[in-house]
Amino acid sequence: MTAADPTEVATRQIKRALRLLASDSSEQINYLQELGVSPDEIALEFDDAFRRAKGASEMGLLPKEVMAAAQPVGEHLKQMTDSSVEIWTKDGLGSSPEWQLLRSLAKEAIVKVSKITE
């Protein structure tokens, strides 16, 4: 068995995390129900992927532009963690402007990351 290419793994993970963040609320809720976790899991998955991508970028394995494309998503998530508890509920996923903006930022980031990595 060969080791996975760290660039490929980091790219795949950041794209997957961004796609989840960009998904509509019903898809996100279905995903969370399948896992049996709360909405903050979506943010945690992005954070894990972002940290892996950052490490790959710092080692020169992933273009810095990938990090620049994902940075606004990370910054907005940080602001959201400092927000009210109500946005971190299933109802909040569907109704809060914070999640709507996050989806928009994630969609923009996916387009940019895809252009950079393909």
Side-chain angles (χ1 to χ4, degrees):
M1 185 172 182
T2 60
D5 174 14
T7 302
E8 185 179 316
V9 171
T11 302
R12 188 174 49 242
Q13 284 185 333
I14 196 73
K15 284 181 175 179
R16 180 182 178 280
L18 287 168
R19 278 193 299 272
L20 180 57
L21 288 171
S23 298
D24 65 40
S25 62
S26 62
E27 290 176 55
Q28 291 170 333
I29 290 168
N30 286 338
Y31 176 79
L32 295 169
Q33 287 174 337
E34 286 176 16
L35 293 180
V37 295
S38 62
D40 66 335
E41 181 63 26
I42 295 173
L44 293 172
E45 287 187 21
F46 174 80
D47 187 57
D48 288 345
F50 189 81
R51 288 175 191 264
R52 181 181 292 267
K54 184 177 180 184
S57 178
E58 289 171 352
M59 294 186 319
L61 301 173
L62 193 66
K64 293 189 184 313
E65 294 85 0
V66 170
M67 298 309 302
Q71 188 69 38
V73 174
E75 289 172 0
H76 186 65
L77 273 170
K78 170 115 177 63
Q79 290 174 352
M80 286 175 65
T81 60
D82 298 334
S83 296
S84 68
V85 174
E86 291 81 30
I87 66 169
W88 295 103
T89 64
K90 290 177 184 169
D91 287 339
L93 278 174
S95 63
S96 77
E98 292 90 348
W99 277 100
Q100 291 171 7
L101 177 57
L102 182 62
R103 287 185 191 94
S104 176
L105 292 170
K107 287 174 186 173
E108 290 174 23
I110 289 169
V111 170
K112 290 176 184 177
V113 169
S114 293
K115 285 181 182 178
I116 295 163
T117 59
E118 293 178 0

